[in-house]
Amino acid sequence: MNKHQETTSVHAGHEIDPATGALSAPIHLSTTFERHPTGDYPLGFQYSRLENPNRAALEDKMAALEFGTQAAAFASGSAAAMTVFQALRPGDHLLLPNDMYFGIRKLIREVFIPWGLEAAFVDMTDLDGIQNRVQTNTTLILVETPSNPLLKVTDIHAVVEIARQVGAWVLCDNTVATPVLQHPLPLGADLSLHATTKYLGGHSDVLGGVLVARQESELWERIRFLQQNGGAVPSPFECWLTVRGIHTLPYRVRTQANNALRVARFLKDHPQVERVYYPGLEDHPGHQVAAGQMTGFGGLLSFQVKGGQSRAMHAAAELRLITQATSFGGTNSLIEHRASIEEPGTTTPENLLRLSIGLEHPNDLIDDLNQALNGS
Ligand SMILES: *Cc1c(COP(=O)(O)O)cnc(C)c1O
């Protein structure tokens, strides 16, 4: 229908309220909806755990933005990921990235492996390695690209081809890239996952998660069943806030990506910086793959500070404009010492800081980083 992401972001799933003419969608708090004398629900809504008008608007918008056929919204990105694993069967084998969002890795290790899933953590940038690790009972390969926090880049289409040999599904965590910069489903992935808490909500004020399906499948039916019957769904107001955030998504993300490249180039030349991880830099090992499957390199980057963990933490503490806080994707730039919040034994380097570029002017961010690094 609409060709351009900016237009889809505003218009998909949106209609003028037929009852009042309101441009901004009403928030439907009602948990229950009237049944027709014939016994039907002609307007499509019955009970809010099953479906709600605000949730339907969010799901329709996400399906359109990701070129999927259906979407399912959840109360958090983690709840969305949990639902995929719950939809699998004990004895199923999973391949997961060795650099990935640590909360999901924790759920796999502490809940789903004891529950009967088999899981192997592999380097998703090494296609031969993936090929060697798939088994006949591999049912799902999860890719996260760019990954959090090391910004590793995985070739989505190449992983899809390996997965198809054994009939495995591919789930792509597209949170860092957003639908503005990367479309996993046209590349062949079966599902894309978003923590809408990050760029889609975009203002650090609403948690949420969404799964989008390329097409209907047995797996999708189980996911929808778990969403509607398990009930880890977002409230109408949370859906409304996320939809409101998506209206400006393409403009925010492109600005954040442009500014992240400027900050990454500045950090790369700074004498106190050991290494910068940003796929937009030409010497990033995943730069070519990223350039081939993304239309920009995103607003998230990481860097290692010379002198170890204490120098890195000190530099973060010296920042005035950039806030030390977890999460990313909002209007305010955030920095985080990642190893100290991840679980013990994490592979994240101890002197690594992850930086989420907000919507401030990039020169002000560069000045702030410069004073903090020089003073540390
Ligand atoms: C934050 C995040 C999640 C989890 O989302 P929550 O809404 O915090 O539960 C999943 N994947 C990635 C890549 C994330 O950054």
Side-chain angles (χ1 to χ4, degrees):
M1 188 189 57
N2 295 309
K3 284 207 188 74
H4 299 95
Q5 292 267 299
E6 291 80 358
T7 308
T8 306
S9 295
V10 174
H11 284 275
H14 179 262
E15 62 167 24
I16 306 287
D17 178 39
T20 63
L23 177 71
S24 172
I27 300 170
H28 293 281
L29 296 176
S30 188
T31 53
T32 190
F33 298 83
E34 189 183 27
R35 192 168 184 178
H36 199 261
T38 59
D40 300 335
Y41 294 90
L43 301 174
F45 299 102
Q46 175 182 347
Y47 184 58
S48 210
R49 170 158 47 69
L50 304 177
E51 194 53 290
N52 164 284
N54 296 101
R55 198 166 94 215
L58 171 60
E59 291 174 346
D60 290 349
K61 209 183 258 311
M62 286 304 299
L65 279 172
E66 283 285 56
F67 302 105
T69 53
Q70 290 214 27
F74 295 87
S76 69
S78 302
M82 282 264 279
T83 303
V84 177
F85 305 132
Q86 287 172 330
L88 303 178
R89 312 260 190 235
D92 283 356
H93 178 253
L94 276 64
L95 289 182
L96 301 147
N98 61 2
D99 184 58
M100 67 182 289
Y101 176 66
F102 81 111
I104 296 177
R105 184 168 63 209
K106 229 167 30 177
L107 285 169
I108 291 284
R109 287 209 174 116
E110 294 185 21
V111 179
F112 290 101
I113 291 176
W115 183 74
L117 294 183
E118 295 171 23
F121 293 88
V122 300
D123 180 358
M124 290 286 169
T125 66
D126 172 13
L127 295 172
D128 290 338
I130 303 172
Q131 183 80 57
N132 291 335
R133 299 297 288 275
V134 287
Q135 304 175 184
T136 48
N137 64 335
T138 304
T139 50
L140 185 85
I141 303 181
L142 190 155
V143 299
E144 182 182 310
T145 182
S147 68
N148 174 11
L150 293 180
L151 288 305
K152 287 189 174 189
V153 174
T154 300
D155 184 333
I156 299 169
H157 186 66
V159 172
V160 164
E161 296 207 316
I162 296 171
R164 286 196 178 146
Q165 294 165 14
V166 289
W169 288 296
V170 174
L171 163 66
C172 181
D173 188 332
N174 205 26
T175 299
V176 172
T178 81
V180 179
L181 303 179
Q182 179 169 276
H183 295 117
L185 304 184
L187 291 169
D190 300 281
L191 296 170
S192 83
L193 165 73
H194 289 277
T196 59
T197 312
K198 314 292 169 53
Y199 290 102
L200 291 146
H203 296 75
S204 309
D205 55 13
V206 58
L207 275 177
V210 168
L211 292 168
V212 189
R214 183 165 50 81
Q215 59 185 33
E216 308 255 335
S217 66
E218 186 203 340
L219 178 66
W220 184 254
E221 272 172 37
R222 280 187 251 156
I223 287 169
R224 183 67 85 190
F225 175 89
L226 286 163
Q227 179 207 28
Q228 295 185 322
N229 294 281
V233 291
S235 72
F237 183 49
E238 290 166 325
C239 295
W240 185 94
L241 273 176
T242 305
V243 164
R244 177 204 173 102
I246 295 172
H247 280 240
T248 54
L249 177 76
Y251 295 94
R252 287 188 282 107
V253 169
R254 286 215 187 87
T255 300
Q256 286 161 327
N258 290 340
N259 294 352
L261 183 59
R262 288 174 65 175
V263 171
R265 288 195 174 132
F266 159 77
L267 288 171
K268 193 169 137 53
D269 291 337
H270 197 283
Q272 297 303 318
V273 173
E274 189 176 300
R275 183 169 170 189
V276 180
Y277 300 80
Y278 184 66
L281 294 174
E282 287 78 8
D283 62 358
H284 183 283
H287 178 69
Q288 289 306 330
V289 173
Q293 69 187 12
M294 301 175 77
T295 57
F297 302 100
L300 194 67
L301 58 120
S302 293
F303 60 101
Q304 285 171 267
V305 179
K306 282 187 188 159
Q309 166 154 345
S310 64
R311 289 289 287 258
M313 291 184 90
H314 190 71
E318 289 290 305
L319 290 162
R320 293 171 197 152
L321 196 57
I322 301 171
T323 304
Q324 274 206 82
T326 196
S327 200
F328 59 89
T331 58
N332 295 49
S333 292
L334 303 180
I335 198 154
E336 183 172 44
H337 181 258
R338 207 57 204 165
S340 54
I341 76 135
E342 296 187 352
E343 72 274 26
T346 176
T347 51
T348 301
E350 55 156 32
N351 61 341
L352 181 130
L353 298 175
R354 189 189 71 188
L355 179 57
S356 167
I357 301 298
L359 290 173
E360 302 92 343
H361 195 283
N363 292 352
D364 295 334
L365 299 177
I366 287 170
D367 285 349
D368 195 24
L369 287 161
N370 199 30
Q371 66 79 22
L373 286 164
N374 292 339
S376 67

